[in-house]
Amino acid sequence: MFRALPVARQASSKQTKGLVRISRRRLVTETTTDATPTSSTAPIKRKKRLLPRLIFYTTAATTTFYVGSAFVAFNNPSYHAFFQQRVPFAPTVLQYGKDHDWDVLTIADVIVNAYDGVSGSYSYIRKQLGYSVDETPAKAPEAKVPSKTKTAKAAAEARAGEVKGRVQKAVDALKTDVKASTDAAYDQGVKAAAIARHRGIQFTQGVEELVLEAEAALQGKPFKKSPSTHSEAPVPHDPSTPVTQSMLDSSEGEPTGPPLGNVYHAPLPLGHEPPPGFTHPPTPQPPKALAPGEPLPLVAPAVEELHSSEPILTHLAGTIDSLASFLSANPTATNKARGVLDVAKDDLSSLAQSFERLREEEKTKLEQSLDEQTREYTLKLLELELQVQDKLESQETGFRAYFEEEKAHFAKAYREKLEHELRTQSDIINERLKEEVIAQGIELQRRWIREIKLRVEEERGGRLAKLDELAANLKRLERVALDNSTYLDENLRIHALWSALRAVNNTIEAPMRRPFRDELRVLRHAAAARDDAVVGVALDALDAGDAPDVGVEPLADLASWFTTSVAPAVSRVALVPDGGAGVLAHVASYVLSAFAFRRRGLVHGDDVLSVLARAEYHLNEKDLDSATRELNQLQGTARTLLKDWLEAARRRLEVQQALELVQTQATLASLLVAQGL
Amino acid sequence: MSSTPPPKPSSSEDIVAQKYDRCLADLLVKSGIGFSIGVVASVILFRRRAWPIALSTGFGAGAAYADCDRSFNPARIAGVRVVEHPPAESK
């Protein structure tokens, strides 16, 4: 709804300002016209909107204020004090802040916490949305990595272990090789013996196999090869004792293990094993023909001579014997076994013999090597011995030379010391001689002086005595003359002093003010000639001031000055109070003192007017001293007015006093002189 | 205008008389100045009324009286403290 009239009026009035204005006005009027119907509800709405807004802003402001104040308080102690005391609920806020470590909060902490919050919320949201996300994005890779590394580590460790084992074996092999080449002959010998034993054991191994084969054949079982022999094949170079141990273990143990497939058919040299991976060919079945009644040949006696060195052979023999006995128990199989057993017996004995042969060979070889070694080492020993001997000889010569040097050095030092001692002794003696000579000289001088004195005394007794008398008389005369002159001088001085004094007095007592510097100078001169301390002091004090240059006021002038100007002025100020007297007080005093009675003569009282009266009286009596004393008692404004007059009076009095002093002294001096110095 | 020592031709007993003379001169001068200022102010600011003139003259006279009082009583000068010792008066 448009209000046509107001629009028109406004439009007409603002037409000159431009179209834009009009349009804006239109819009404004539109909205206002729209609002006017709802004007009744607007205030209520506004109020409603206002109240929550007010509450919100108030709460926000208060919270901000408290929190901000807490932080500021933690950083600024004066604000902290103010905040704590003046603002209600402040201590609780501060306590809360302290509990939550607000006072150690820094901007970095804030940033870190914000970042953590944001990242945490981000990850949470992602999880909620269904994305797979690491629990702790920062820590998961770390967890994965350790596991991986662990497996890798384990694998690496295992491989390392393997490699290490292999390396160790190779190293050991090398070591043992090296050891064998550098150790002493004993080790080598032991090694050789071990090798020989090993070879022997290999033979016994072969025998054992045969035995086992025999057993198996007898029992009708297939021969199972023991893997223990195979395992020993690749390690023939292990260190001696473990090897023998393992050999023993394996040879005494039961043959167990999986049978290996490949069979090695080529003929094996004696004592050698088939290559790894190949087995022995199975021994052919022994013929089983045997006479039933024939006893089985025993194997044990055949190898009895080797019992001490090779117990294994004997053991095997024993086993074979047991087998034979078993066979004898079973007569049916004896014929078959006989052949086999004979073969076995022959084989064993041949083996034993070959074994013995090998042993002998090895022994001779060993002895040869030992001899070589001993030869070498003896040569080396001889060389070293020669070297050491040479060194010893050189050292000995060096020591001898050093010894000779030291001896010469000591001899020189001792000689020097002796010379020094001689010199000092001679010096001492010379000194003593000199002193004695001097003492003698002094003694002689003293004796001569004494002699002279004696002679002089004698003379004096004679002619000098008379001269003495004459001199004494002369002196007396002198004294008399001097005394006379001093007396005369003294008198003159005193006369001069008196004259000067009189001159000064005249000047001072003159009716006009006149300077008396010249007269004072003369007086001082006269007084200085007499060297009188008191007079000197007094005149010095007088001379120091400027009174002699200016002159002193005549008494008459002072009196008239007082009477005409000073006294009236002072009496006008008589009633002014001593402290804090303003203009009004002065004016009052002026007026009232005009009506005061004037008293004369020696009036009693301490007030200003009485004092003035007394002073006037004294002045009339020509007693300046008393008058000055009286006026000196006044204080305050009166005193300031009297200053100049008092100054003049005081000056005059000082001069008078000094002159009186001089006069007294002069009188005294003249009396003394009259008395006779 | 404290009590300065008098020059040589005038002696100390004329101090008070000199103070009176100075006070009178001050009064005349300051009242005159106040009067003139009052006249000017009255003409310009107060539309030719009488009371500013009297007021200003009064101000001048008052200032003169205050100065006079201070010259007679140095203790009343601003910043002066009289210590109760007979020989010395601190300034």
Side-chain angles (χ1 to χ4, degrees):
Chain A
M1 213 189 309
F2 290 88
R3 281 191 294 179
L5 191 59
V7 172
R9 207 191 314 132
Q10 281 173 7
S12 64
S13 66
K14 309 286 185 214
Q15 218 164 16
T16 49
K17 290 204 179 161
L19 268 145
V20 178
R21 266 295 170 108
I22 293 168
S23 55
R24 234 181 77 198
R25 284 268 171 206
R26 271 242 181 103
L27 280 165
V28 168
T29 49
E30 272 183 36
T31 51
T32 45
T33 47
D34 278 335
T36 38
T38 59
S39 61
S40 57
T41 54
I44 297 165
K45 259 200 191 158
R46 282 224 184 82
K47 261 191 201 163
K48 273 196 182 161
R49 270 190 301 186
L50 197 64
L51 188 64
R53 253 202 310 169
L54 184 72
I55 289 168
F56 169 72
Y57 281 132
T58 313
T59 322
T62 318
T63 321
T64 316
F65 169 71
Y66 271 108
V67 172
S69 290
F71 277 106
V72 172
F74 286 133
N75 289 327
N76 185 348
S78 57
Y79 185 75
H80 183 100
F82 160 77
F83 183 57
Q84 204 160 24
Q85 282 162 17
R86 298 289 181 164
V87 179
F89 298 115
T92 45
V93 174
L94 286 170
Q95 192 59 46
Y96 182 79
K98 265 206 195 78
D99 291 338
H100 289 261
D101 285 332
W102 281 359
D103 47 356
V104 297
L105 203 65
T106 57
I107 306 239
D109 292 336
V110 170
I111 291 173
V112 163
N113 287 340
Y115 178 73
D116 283 342
V118 166
S119 59
S121 61
Y122 176 69
S123 63
Y124 177 73
I125 289 168
R126 276 182 72 97
K127 229 174 39 169
Q128 291 301 324
L129 291 174
Y131 293 112
S132 65
V133 90
D134 294 327
E135 284 298 323
T136 51
K139 290 171 194 161
E142 283 173 32
K144 277 192 190 166
V145 165
S147 62
K148 275 192 201 161
T149 52
K150 268 183 208 156
T151 52
K153 239 193 230 175
E157 268 173 10
R159 253 179 269 136
E162 280 178 44
V163 171
K164 220 196 252 179
R166 275 200 226 128
V167 168
Q168 187 65 32
K169 284 184 197 162
V171 163
D172 288 338
L174 286 167
K175 246 196 251 176
T176 49
D177 280 341
V178 166
K179 243 188 182 179
S181 58
T182 55
D183 273 353
Y186 176 68
D187 283 347
Q188 238 186 14
V190 166
K191 186 83 176 36
I195 288 172
R197 207 179 295 144
H198 170 74
R199 293 224 183 97
I201 285 163
Q202 292 277 21
F203 294 146
T204 56
Q205 282 291 319
V207 167
E208 191 200 39
E209 281 173 21
L210 283 169
V211 166
L212 289 170
E213 272 184 21
E215 277 189 353
L218 284 167
Q219 288 173 4
K221 288 184 193 159
F223 185 69
K224 285 192 170 38
K225 206 68 183 102
S226 70
S228 55
T229 50
H230 284 278
S231 64
E232 275 136 39
V235 285
H237 296 294
D238 272 348
S240 44
T241 40
V243 163
T244 49
Q245 195 61 36
S246 63
M247 289 297 178
L248 288 165
D249 286 340
S250 57
S251 58
E252 285 181 357
E254 290 288 320
T256 50
L260 296 168
N262 299 335
V263 177
Y264 192 66
H265 286 284
L268 281 170
L270 279 172
H272 281 81
E273 297 294 327
F278 291 88
T279 61
H280 272 295
T283 52
Q285 298 283 336
K288 303 223 167 84
L290 191 62
E294 231 177 289
L296 290 166
L298 291 167
V299 180
V303 291
E304 244 177 50
E305 65 264 24
L306 293 167
H307 178 72
S308 57
S309 60
E310 295 299 324
I312 294 161
L313 286 171
T314 51
H315 178 72
L316 280 170
T319 332
I320 293 170
D321 286 333
S322 59
L323 177 62
S325 57
F326 167 68
L327 280 174
S328 63
N330 286 355
T332 53
T334 46
N335 288 334
K336 294 177 192 167
R338 180 186 286 277
V340 172
L341 283 170
D342 285 334
V343 168
K345 181 177 122 201
D346 293 333
D347 279 342
L348 258 177
S349 46
S350 65
L351 277 170
Q353 282 168 10
S354 58
F355 181 64
E356 279 292 327
R357 236 185 300 124
L358 274 171
R359 240 197 230 163
E360 294 295 327
E361 280 175 26
E362 286 300 314
K363 223 190 258 179
T364 49
K365 258 196 252 170
L366 202 63
E367 280 172 6
Q368 276 178 15
S369 60
L370 275 171
D371 287 334
E372 274 178 38
Q373 289 281 330
T374 45
R375 245 181 282 133
E376 262 183 61
Y377 285 128
T378 43
L379 278 169
K380 276 192 194 152
L381 271 169
L382 285 168
E383 278 177 35
L384 282 170
E385 228 183 275
L386 287 167
Q387 275 180 21
V388 163
Q389 267 195 354
D390 290 336
K391 221 194 274 181
L392 276 171
E393 279 177 20
S394 64
Q395 268 192 359
E396 212 184 302
T397 47
F399 283 148
R400 222 171 270 155
Y402 183 66
F403 179 67
E404 294 295 318
E405 230 183 86
E406 284 295 306
K407 222 171 29 171
H409 183 74
F410 279 140
K412 201 166 62 167
Y414 189 63
R415 220 178 295 133
E416 274 179 21
K417 221 201 254 183
L418 279 173
E419 280 177 25
H420 183 255
E421 279 298 318
L422 274 171
R423 247 182 281 131
T424 48
Q425 286 296 322
S426 60
D427 284 340
I428 287 167
I429 288 166
N430 282 340
E431 284 292 320
R432 223 183 307 142
L433 284 172
K434 241 188 273 174
E435 277 173 27
E436 280 181 18
V437 163
I438 288 168
Q440 273 192 358
I442 289 169
E443 191 61 44
L444 280 172
Q445 261 193 328
R446 260 195 236 130
R447 223 181 292 154
W448 291 333
I449 287 168
R450 237 182 291 140
E451 270 203 45
I452 286 172
K453 273 194 195 153
L454 282 168
R455 299 281 168 80
V456 164
E457 290 297 319
E458 279 179 39
E459 281 296 312
R460 208 186 276 191
R463 284 172 288 171
L464 294 173
K466 286 200 196 118
L467 282 171
D468 245 353
E469 246 186 75
L470 286 169
N473 284 336
L474 253 177
K475 268 198 204 110
R476 237 182 278 135
L477 279 171
E478 257 186 58
R479 244 182 281 136
V480 168
L482 279 170
D483 284 347
N484 280 338
S485 67
T486 49
Y487 183 73
L488 282 168
D489 283 338
E490 193 69 32
N491 272 327
L492 280 170
R493 256 182 264 132
I494 287 170
H495 275 298
L497 185 65
W498 271 108
S499 315
L501 191 61
R502 236 176 286 134
V504 177
N505 260 330
N506 282 338
T507 322
I508 284 170
E509 302 297 335
M512 279 182 313
R513 198 166 75 166
R514 245 193 283 159
F516 54 94
R517 180 63 76 177
D518 297 331
E519 289 91 347
L520 185 61
R521 189 165 37 83
V522 169
L523 181 58
R524 280 194 74 200
H525 192 71
R530 297 206 59 250
D531 292 334
D532 201 341
V534 178
V535 170
V537 163
L539 290 176
D540 280 341
L542 196 55
D543 205 20
D546 62 346
D549 296 319
V550 177
V552 287
E553 296 282 342
L555 187 58
D557 279 358
L558 276 173
S560 63
W561 182 16
F562 181 80
T563 322
T564 46
S565 37
V566 178
V570 175
S571 62
R572 259 177 247 137
V573 198
L575 299 171
V576 170
D578 273 343
V583 60
L584 289 175
H586 280 83
V587 168
S589 157
Y590 196 113
V591 166
L592 289 172
S593 66
F595 299 120
F597 287 117
R598 286 286 155 80
R599 309 233 320 256
R600 295 195 174 259
L602 280 169
V603 290
H604 288 289
D606 270 335
D607 58 307
V608 176
L609 294 167
S610 319
V611 167
L612 280 173
R614 276 204 299 268
E616 206 172 323
Y617 170 76
H618 284 305
L619 276 175
N620 287 336
E621 302 293 312
K622 306 248 189 292
D623 190 357
L624 184 59
D625 189 34
S626 319
T628 320
R629 268 181 226 276
E630 292 284 344
L631 290 169
N632 210 18
Q633 290 170 17
L634 290 175
Q635 300 289 336
T637 324
R639 197 188 183 80
T640 42
L641 294 179
L642 284 167
K643 209 161 55 132
D644 273 358
W645 191 89
L646 279 176
E647 186 67 37
R650 206 175 285 129
R651 208 180 285 177
R652 190 187 163 77
L653 284 168
E654 275 171 14
V655 171
Q656 272 185 336
Q657 190 183 40
L659 288 174
E660 264 176 49
L661 183 70
V662 174
Q663 199 170 326
T664 342
Q665 285 293 104
T667 322
L668 180 64
S670 61
L671 283 172
L672 281 173
V673 163
Q675 212 174 53
L677 285 159
Chain B
M1 277 155 285
S2 50
S3 58
T4 53
K8 267 301 171 184
S10 74
S11 63
S12 63
E13 61 263 12
D14 297 331
I15 286 169
V16 181
Q18 277 180 344
K19 280 189 194 173
Y20 283 137
D21 295 339
R22 192 170 272 172
C23 276
L24 195 61
D26 250 357
L27 177 68
L28 289 172
V29 166
K30 288 203 163 92
S31 304
I33 291 170
F35 179 80
S36 49
I37 290 172
V39 164
V40 168
S42 146
V43 164
I44 290 174
L45 294 170
F46 293 101
R47 293 186 251 162
R48 295 164 189 261
R49 292 205 188 125
W51 60 266
I53 299 170
L55 184 67
S56 200
T57 313
F59 285 156
Y65 172 76
D67 279 339
C68 183
D69 204 21
R70 252 179 260 131
S71 85
F72 273 99
N73 184 13
R76 294 232 182 100
I77 295 170
V80 169
R81 186 167 61 93
V82 174
V83 178
E84 294 303 314
H85 282 282
E89 269 190 49
S90 66
K91 246 208 175 166

